[in-house]
Every structure is written in structure tokens, then in C-alpha cells.
Amino acid sequence: MALLNKDQGTRNNRRFYSSLISLSRYYFIFVLCSLILVPTIPMVAQEAAVDSIVARCPIDTIQGCPMYRYTVEKSVGLYRVSKNFGVSQDVIIEANPELRTRGLRFGEVIYIPVPEGRSVKAATAAIAAQKPMPKVDERKPAQPRELPCIDTVSRCLQDPRIEAPREVETVADSLPSVVDTTAVADSIPALWEWNDSAAIHLSLMLPFQTRNDKRDQHAERFMEFYEGCLLAAYDLQAEGQPLVLDVYDTEKNTAIVRQLIDSNSLAGTQAVIGLAYPLQLMQVMPWSLENQVPVLAPFIDYMEGIETNPYLYLFNSSAEQEARALGQWLEEHRDSVNCVLVEAKDADIPSSVRLLHKEIKARQIPCTTTSIRQILDDSIQSALRDSVENILIFNTEKYSNVQVLIPRILNSKGAHAVTLRAQYSWTREDIALPLLYTSIFATDQPTECDAYEIKYERYFGHKHVSTTPRYDLLGYDLTRTMSAILKDTTYSGLQSDIRFEQVNPEGGYINTNVNVIHTNP
């Protein structure tokens, strides 16, 4: 009996250990599967989340390139954004230059190029299903408030009881401070009532960079431009024309411009002046066409789409206009000039020089050729002619490429008359040769400038900083020019006689006033 019980116990023990081994085998298989499958679950979820982020982003076409418009989410860095969208951090920074000096900011909008080969239609369809953004108060920017808004000084200029503008130490004092970004209309009581139907409502959008500790060297010229705008508002008021001037610091950030448009902050604006960077201008172009609001760009040389948007105004002259003006001047003086073309490889010649060469050939202007080597060898005289003005035309727009050759030219020209075909920017250099160049600015200032100078120093308490061109005079002229366009009147500028002409019946307007200036050292 004892032996039977012993055998029975042995069999029970075997069953127990066998069950334990089987259970351990299943547990091992379960753990192994867990190690393999569990990591894929969050990975699949993460990929789905990334696809959802990309699909939610609207796609804008900027200078012919499709770009995602992405609103930065909380606790997201540049590395994560680059991974989500499948582009490098350098590509994102190139499309958003402001990111070179700082990181991403929660809530801001940046642009991310759509990688080549990626379907654009799918993302666009996802955006079409979204609900439109609700409109907000037209006088207030979207939350969070980061945009300087209506300027206090320009509002004071509308009060007919104020005989002169308020005295301010610097124009920067009249801009919203770094801390106080609340719209002025919300923070001060109304000083007077004015008739909005009679007032001209302009928006000034320039990169003042008031919130940047390290502003670049060009920021001062935008402040001077703003000064001229204020004086134009003062003179318009004195003439019985009230003007509302909304001032926005767009920095170098396309997202700020996009936010202004999306938040409906520009509602009521009759015209926009400013936008110093092409990408910022591209944001406003569709809005301008849809709302029939003129946009005048003072600091950009080319507007993509001006042929089809009748509300765009380009102030700077084009390379075609400058070449045509020079060609006409040379043709008028063909009997007394000789164009000396400096030979170089075709690939090195910029478009402005190519166009001038084309004008010279088409108009059959007398010309000879030389080379940089001949200039360096002091043998340039073989290309020069007697009893005429020899105009040297180099294949560059940079004075640094020509500067080293000036002493050689002076030493080897002999008794020949030699003039340098210059770029407008070269006029700031001390060049010991006569210059021939084009300019949209007048050489002689009208007598009205004397009264302007008195007002300028009285208002701002200092003399102007810039020389040629005067950015304060540019702001003054363009503000008055746009006001005249809106009221269908005329205005003759102080620094330049601006003449806008339509490029075609469906397109915008280009300033056609190009002066050919011939100077002596």
C-alpha cells in the first residue's frame, strides 16, 4: 500500500513538473511575442499621428514652390518638425530665415517645403474639409497678441484741433513697446471722433524688429521710412484729408503676415505699403486680389504675378526699364559716345548687362571690346577712341569686382575721355571717373523740400540720417502717392516723380520714371 502511494506521488510530481514546463514554454512564447509586437504599436500610432499633422497643414504656393503652412505645436522642436515632414532642418531654416537666430515659438506659423515626389492633392483635399476660420474683430490681431497695431502718433494727426504733431524724442517711442503689445485702440480712450468714410485707411507693414535685441543694420532705414509716412499724414491732415495709419512690425517673419491675413486684422484697409521681403509679399498677393486692395512695395525689385494682379504697385524699376532708358540715352548721343564692352564668359554676365548689350546691338550704338587682361596690362587704349566719350561697361553689378581696376584705367587711358557705366549703389563710392547710371530718384530737389526739412527737424528733434536715397522722403512720397491714387488725384514727389503705368489691361502697375544720370567726379 505504501509502495502504491509512493508510485502515485511520483506520477503526480511528474504531471506537476510537466505542466510547469509547458506553462513556462507558453510564457516564454508570450514574452517573446511581446518583445516583438509591443514596440510596433506605438510606432504605428506615431506614424498615424505624423500623417495626421501633415494632412492638416494647408499648402500655399510661394514663388512656384508648394509649402506646408504649419502652426507650431507645444513642446515641438525643429528636429521633430523636420522628421515629421521629411525634410532637413536646413531646408526649413532656409524657408524661414528668422529661425537662424532663435528656436520655434509655440503658436507661430512657419512654411515647410513639400518634398519632391510627395502628393500635394491629398493634403489639399484634407484642408478643404476643414471648417473656415471664424472672423474676429477687424481692429484686433489674433490671440496671442504679438503684433504691434494702430500707431498713436498717426491717430493724433487726425484731430483738427492739434496744430502740430506731438513732440517725440525718437520715432521708436511712437511704436508699441516690446512688453506692451496690446492694440492702442484697446488701451487708450478715444481722443476725438472722425468720419471713417472720409478718412484714408492705410496699413504700413515693415520689419522694424522692435522685439529683437539685435536688429540688423537695415532696420534704421525702415524707421526713417516711417518718419516720412508720419509727416505725409500730417500734411494730408493740414490739407483737409484725414488718414488712418495702422502700423505693423512684420520682422522678417512670413508667419506674422500670414497671421494678420488669417485673423482678418487687415479688414477695412484701403491700401498696404511695405513688405520688404518677397516671401512676405507673396502672402499678401492673393488677399490683395480677392479683396481688391492695392499693395505698394517700395523695397522689392520684382513682383511675381504682377502681370495678372491689377492691385500690385512696384516702385523700383526693372532691369528691362533701366536697359531701355540707357539704350535711348546712348542712341541720342550716338555721335559722341563709344561703348567699350569688357569681354567675359557669357555665364558671368548678369541679366542687367545682357539686356544693355542687347539694346546697344539693336540700336547700333558704336562700340568696341576689351578685356580685363588688357586693363591689367595697361593696354586698354587699343579699345578707346579719340574725340568721343568712351563708356566702359563691365560684366558685373558688384563694385568690389571693378574697384581694383580703376587705378589701371586712370593710368592707361591717356588723353581719352572715359566714363564708367555704374550701378546706382556704386554712387556711394569715391570713384575718380565720370559715371553713367540710372535712378528712380531725382537729382535736384524741389523748393518744397526746404519746408519739409523744417517740419522734419521740428517734429523729430534731429536731422535725417540717410543721404541718397532719403528713406524718410521715400516714405513721404509713397504715402502721398498712394493717397492720391485712392482719391483719384495727382501728386508730384519731393525726391522722385513717380509715374505708375499698367503693365497690361489685366496686370498691376510699375513705376516707369527712370532717370539717366551722367556725373563728373
Side-chain angles (χ1 to χ4, degrees), residues 200 202 204 206 225 228-229 232-233 236 243 245 271-274 295-300 313-316 440-441 470-486 491-500 511:
I200 296 174
L202 301 181
L204 184 64
L206 288 172
F225 186 92
C229 296
L236 286 168
L243 183 142
L245 185 64
V272 173
I273 300 177
V295 174
L296 197 164
F299 304 100
I300 294 175
Y313 288 78
L314 180 63
F315 171 72
N316 285 328
I440 51 180
F441 303 107
R470 288 267 301 275
Y471 289 102
D472 59 302
L473 281 174
L474 180 60
Y476 182 89
D477 281 343
L478 292 184
T479 301
R480 299 216 54 172
T481 297
M482 182 51 68
S483 300
I485 291 173
L486 293 173
Y491 167 74
S492 180
L494 298 182
Q495 182 172 237
S496 53
D497 182 15
I498 304 167
R499 293 194 298 267
F500 282 114
N511 178 22

Side-chain angles (χ1 to χ4, degrees), residues 71-74 105-109 143-144 259:
T71 302
V72 179
E73 299 169 298
K74 192 173 183 179
R105 294 174 179 173
F106 168 61
E108 75 172 333
V109 178
Q143 301 292 337
Q259 185 182 3

Side-chain angles (χ1 to χ4, degrees), residues 121-375:
K121 293 182 179 180
T124 306
I127 297 307
Q130 293 184 359
K131 296 182 179 179
M133 180 179 293
K135 292 186 177 181
V136 296
D137 188 329
E138 64 183 30
R139 289 285 186 173
K140 301 176 183 178
Q143 301 292 337
R145 289 180 178 176
E146 293 185 356
L147 303 173
C149 209
I150 303 173
D151 169 65
T152 56
V153 176
S154 57
R155 283 199 132 195
C156 289
L157 298 180
Q158 300 176 76
D159 189 354
R161 297 169 296 174
I162 299 178
E163 297 181 356
R166 290 182 177 179
E167 297 295 333
V168 292
E169 294 182 1
T170 63
V171 72
D173 295 337
S174 65
L175 287 172
S177 66
V178 176
V179 178
D180 181 17
T181 58
T182 302
V184 175
D186 295 339
S187 59
I188 62 174
L191 300 178
W192 60 88
E193 297 294 332
W194 69 87
N195 184 358
D196 275 331
S197 62
I200 296 174
H201 190 168
L202 301 181
S203 288
L204 184 64
M205 303 172 70
L206 288 172
F208 298 108
Q209 303 179 59
T210 55
R211 290 188 294 273
N212 293 350
D213 294 332
K214 297 180 179 179
R215 295 194 297 168
D216 66 30
Q217 58 182 346
H218 300 301
E220 187 63 33
R221 66 178 181 178
F222 300 125
M223 300 299 288
E224 289 188 34
F225 186 92
Y226 176 48
E227 290 176 335
C229 296
L230 293 180
L231 287 182
Y234 173 58
D235 282 350
L236 286 168
Q237 170 63 42
E239 297 167 10
Q241 176 56 70
L243 183 142
V244 179
L245 185 64
D246 292 353
V247 183
Y248 300 96
D249 181 2
T250 56
E251 301 182 4
K252 294 183 177 180
N253 195 340
T254 56
I256 292 179
V257 179
R258 188 73 250 170
Q259 185 182 3
L260 281 169
I261 296 171
D262 291 345
S263 64
N264 204 32
S265 296
L266 299 178
T269 293
Q270 293 175 266
V272 173
I273 300 177
L275 299 164
Y277 303 105
L279 283 177
Q280 291 183 330
L281 179 63
M282 292 295 294
Q283 300 301 304
V284 178
M285 284 182 176
W287 171 87
S288 165
L289 182 60
E290 180 182 355
N291 294 275
Q292 301 180 2
V293 176
V295 174
L296 197 164
F299 304 100
I300 294 175
D301 296 330
Y302 173 72
M303 283 182 171
E304 182 178 339
I306 194 171
E307 294 82 6
T308 56
N309 188 336
Y311 299 99
L312 300 181
Y313 288 78
L314 180 63
F315 171 72
N316 285 328
S317 56
S318 65
E320 290 84 357
Q321 288 175 299
E322 294 178 358
R324 193 178 307 117
L326 276 172
Q328 184 176 348
W329 187 93
L330 291 170
E331 186 173 26
E332 293 172 355
H333 298 80
R334 60 180 304 112
D335 295 334
S336 60
V337 299
N338 170 46
C339 294
V340 182
L341 309 181
V342 181
E343 288 184 341
K345 295 180 180 179
D346 291 344
D348 297 331
I349 302 178
S351 61
S352 61
V353 179
R354 289 180 185 272
L355 290 168
L356 181 55
H357 285 186
K358 184 178 179 180
E359 288 285 336
I360 291 171
K361 182 178 179 180
R363 298 173 185 267
Q364 298 182 348
I365 310 298
C367 64
T368 57
T369 59
T370 185
S371 65
I372 293 177
R373 173 52 56 192
Q374 283 182 296
I375 296 175

Side-chain angles (χ1 to χ4, degrees), residues 384-436:
L384 304 181
R385 292 179 178 174
D386 298 330
S387 304
V388 295
E389 185 175 13
N390 297 276
I391 301 175
L392 283 179
I393 301 175
F394 282 88
N395 68 311
T396 182
E397 295 177 342
K398 295 181 179 179
Y399 178 66
S400 58
N401 296 338
V402 178
Q403 186 175 12
V404 67
L405 302 174
I406 300 298
R408 296 282 192 174
I409 296 170
L410 291 171
N411 291 334
S412 61
K413 73 182 183 66
H416 294 93
V418 175
T419 295
L420 180 64
R421 161 28 185 162
Q423 300 294 321
Y424 181 77
S425 59
W426 299 6
T427 60
R428 300 184 181 92
E429 307 292 340
D430 185 15
I431 303 176
L433 282 172
L435 302 180
L436 183 69

